[in-house]
Structures are given as structure tokens and as C-alpha cells.
């Protein structure tokens, strides 16, 4: 029943996507995660441990930061709006029933992403070393993603026509997506010792696999756009051949050919 409440909350918040289709997976995503973190604090107020309280607060911080960041970029960046118009379907040709399916699917995914924290609370689990490690990885992921966004924004203000290859972007070409992967890997890891039954495992693994897949898809979309914009630049060619696209120290330099990646 409580998981259903989470789903309803995610549906209500992400319904902003009916105003603008991309908001199902952008602004609606960020604020849904924040809302789910707050909902778990309220629903499990008397069962909270220091760890689950911290992780729920981290979800709120993650979601609010992402939601407001995307909202500000949506309002102020004409180039971002143009990019999204070309790369993301606006839903104008989609019938209402299909939009509802997308809406419900997104809300379910958001619930599955936070489910390891939810099931730790639901199952009354105590804190252990694995859960602490997961929380630390989650926090590091949020910091990494935030730092990457700040770095790129600062760089683009000074060099709007250049590709960003400074700071964290010297380690991987998509450090913001790496931060996202680390965040949700930490969330998933925090719950692996407390999951009970097939449904809990399906929800937790499904949420983690889906978001990692989406991040690799996002990296592919960015790579294709950058190849189009900077492909003739020798410095860019040198950069992409020497800097992994998403995972540090792993020589995966391109995912452009993997058409099955969608993000």
C-alpha cells in the first residue's frame, strides 16, 4: 500500500509533463525524486534510522537540485530549448492514451529507483556496512553531478562555441552522467542486503538497470551532437580518442554505433 502511495505521488508531480512532454523525464523527474524522499520521511517517521534519514534527505537534495537546475535552464537557455526541440519528441503527435502510458511508466521508474531505500524502511532493516558504503557512493555521485554541471555552465559562458574539456571533463566526457550512475548505484547497493522476495528484487534491479541504460543513451545522444558540432576540430578528435565517454579508466571512447541505446 505504501509503495502505491509513492507511485501516486510520483504520478502527481510528474504530471507536469502534460504541459510540456519533455518535462515527464526532466523537471518532473527531479521533483518526483525529491517528493518521494520527503514522502518516505513522513510515512516512516517513527521507523527512520540515521542512515535512512540521511538517504531520504539526499534524495530531496538530489531531486531539488536537478529540478531547479533544469527549470532554470529551460527558462533561460535558448540553445537548450532548440536542442531539446530537435532531439526529444514534443509529444504533439502522440495520442492521449500513449501519453498516459509514458506518464505512468516514468512514475513507476522513479519509484523503482528509490525502492532500495523504501524497502529498507518497509522491512525494518538495521544499518550495516554495505548500506553505509551505498550512502557514501550516493553522496559522491550527487557531488560529482553537481560539480560537472557547474563546470560546464561556467565554461560555456566563456566559450559558448567550444566543447568542454576542463576539470572533470578531462576524466570522462560525461561526468554529469557518471554522477547520475554513481548516485543510483549507491542507492541500489544500500538495499541489496535487505531485499525480500522477487518483487522487491525486480523493482530495485529494474530501477537501477533502467537509469544506467538511460545515462548511456544520454551519453550517446551527446556524442552524436558533439560529433556534428565539433567533428572537424582536430582538438576534439584528439579529446574523444583519449578520454572515455562515461566510465573512468575503462577504454570505452564511443557509443555512437549502438543504436539500441536511447536516453
Amino acid at each position: 500500500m505504501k509503495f502505491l502511495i509513492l507511485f501516486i505521488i510520483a504520478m502527481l508531480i510528474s504530471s507536469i509533463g502534460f504541459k510540456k512532454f519533455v518535462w515527464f523525464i526532466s523537471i518532473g523527474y527531479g521533483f518526483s525524486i525529491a517528493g518521494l524522499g520527503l514522502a518516505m520521511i513522513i510515512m516512516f517517521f517513527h521507523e527512520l534510522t540515521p542512515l535512512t534519514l540521511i538517504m531520504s534527505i539526499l534524495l530531496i537534495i538530489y531531486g531539488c537540485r536537478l529540478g531547479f537546475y533544469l527549470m532554470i535552464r529551460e527558462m533561460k537557455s535558448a540553445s537548450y530549448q532548440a536542442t531539446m526541440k530537435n532531439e526529444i519528441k514534443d509529444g504533439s503527435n502522440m495520442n492521449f492514451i500513449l501519453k498516459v502510458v509514458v506518464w505512468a511508466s516514468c512514475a513507476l521508474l522513479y519509484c523503482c529507483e528509490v525502492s532500495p531505500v523504501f524497502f529498507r524502511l518497509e522491512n525494518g532493516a538495521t544499518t550495516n556496512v554495505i548500506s553505509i558504503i551505498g550512502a557514501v557512493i550516493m553522496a559522491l555521485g550527487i557531488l560529482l553531478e553537481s560539480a560537472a554541471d557547474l563546470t560546464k555552465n561556467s565554461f560555456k559562458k566563456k566559450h559558448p562555441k567550444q566543447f568542454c574539456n576542463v576539470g572533470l571533463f578531462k576524466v570522462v566526457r560525461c561526468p554529469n552522467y557518471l554522477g547520475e550512475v554513481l548516485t543510483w548505484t549507491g542507492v541500489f547497493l544500500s538495499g541489496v542486503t535487505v531485499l525480500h522476495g522477487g518483487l522487491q528484487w525486480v523493482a530495485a534491479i529494474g530501477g537501477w538497470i533502467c537509469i544506467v541504460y538511460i545515462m548511456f543513451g544520454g551519453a550517446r545522444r551527446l556524442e552524436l551532437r558533439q560529433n556534428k558540432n565539433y567533428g572537424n576540430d582536430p582538438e576534439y578528435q584528439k579529446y574523444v580518442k583519449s578520454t572515455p565517454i562515461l566510465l573512468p579508466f575503462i577504454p570505452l571512447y564511443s557509443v555512437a554505433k549502438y543504436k539500441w541505446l536511447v536516453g
Side-chain angles (χ1 to χ4, degrees):
M1 178 59 71
K2 288 182 178 179
F3 191 84
L4 178 60
I5 293 173
L6 286 189
F7 177 67
I8 293 171
I9 291 171
M11 289 276 283
L12 289 172
I13 298 174
S14 63
S15 64
I16 191 174
F18 284 105
K19 180 174 178 61
K20 192 170 184 179
F21 186 73
V22 71
W23 290 355
F24 280 130
I25 57 174
S26 60
I27 296 172
Y29 168 52
F31 288 127
S32 289
I33 297 300
L36 295 177
L38 178 60
M40 286 189 288
I41 291 176
I42 295 172
M43 287 192 297
F44 294 99
F45 185 78
H46 296 293
E47 291 83 17
L48 286 169
T49 64
L51 177 79
T52 50
L53 176 59
I54 289 171
M55 294 197 74
S56 297
I57 292 173
L58 284 174
L59 289 172
I60 296 171
I61 293 172
Y62 164 88
C64 287
R65 187 208 73 85
L66 181 60
F68 282 116
Y69 171 77
L70 293 173
M71 182 182 293
I72 292 170
R73 188 169 67 173
E74 180 83 22
M75 292 187 298
K76 293 188 175 182
S77 176
S79 61
Y80 172 77
Q81 293 178 24
T83 298
M84 290 299 100
K85 185 176 180 180
N86 293 329
E87 294 191 9
I88 303 294
K89 294 180 179 179
D90 63 6
S92 58
N93 296 323
M94 188 178 295
N95 65 52
F96 180 76
I97 298 299
L98 190 52
K99 283 186 179 181
V100 171
V101 172
V102 171
W103 173 38
S105 298
C106 288
L108 180 59
L109 172 59
Y110 306 155
C111 292
C112 288
E113 286 181 56
V114 306
S115 66
V117 180
F118 172 81
F119 292 133
R120 175 169 286 279
L121 288 162
E122 179 81 355
N123 297 339
T126 56
T127 302
N128 55 27
V129 174
I130 298 297
S131 63
I132 294 173
I133 292 173
V136 170
I137 293 173
M138 177 189 182
L140 290 175
I142 294 172
L143 289 174
L144 176 61
E145 185 175 6
S146 302
D149 286 339
L150 288 172
T151 298
K152 190 168 185 177
N153 281 348
S154 177
F155 181 87
K156 283 294 186 179
K157 286 179 181 179
K158 298 176 182 177
H159 313 284
K161 301 297 183 181
Q162 297 181 29
F163 62 93
C164 183
N165 61 345
V166 299
L168 294 168
F169 290 83
K170 292 181 178 179
V171 181
V172 292
R173 305 206 307 274
C174 301
N176 49 342
Y177 293 155
L178 173 60
E180 189 91 11
V181 170
L182 284 176
T183 297
W184 295 111
T185 298
V187 172
F188 173 70
L189 182 63
S190 74
V192 294
T193 59
V194 302
L195 298 174
H196 297 316
L199 288 178
Q200 290 190 10
W201 277 101
V202 167
I205 293 176
W208 178 68
I209 289 176
C210 283
I211 194 62
V212 171
Y213 169 81
I214 290 169
M215 289 304 103
F216 271 92
R220 178 179 182 270
R221 190 175 67 242
L222 177 63
E223 180 184 2
L224 292 173
R225 184 167 72 247
Q226 290 187 333
N227 287 346
K228 180 180 178 181
N229 293 338
Y230 313 115
N232 295 325
D233 185 343
E235 286 299 316
Y236 173 73
Q237 290 300 329
K238 181 180 178 181
Y239 174 62
V240 299
K241 291 176 182 178
S242 60
T243 307
I245 188 165
L246 184 58
L247 303 176
F249 315 117
I250 296 178
L252 177 64
Y253 300 105
S254 174
V255 292
K257 65 181 180 181
Y258 302 126
K259 295 181 179 181
W260 48 270
L261 285 174
V262 180

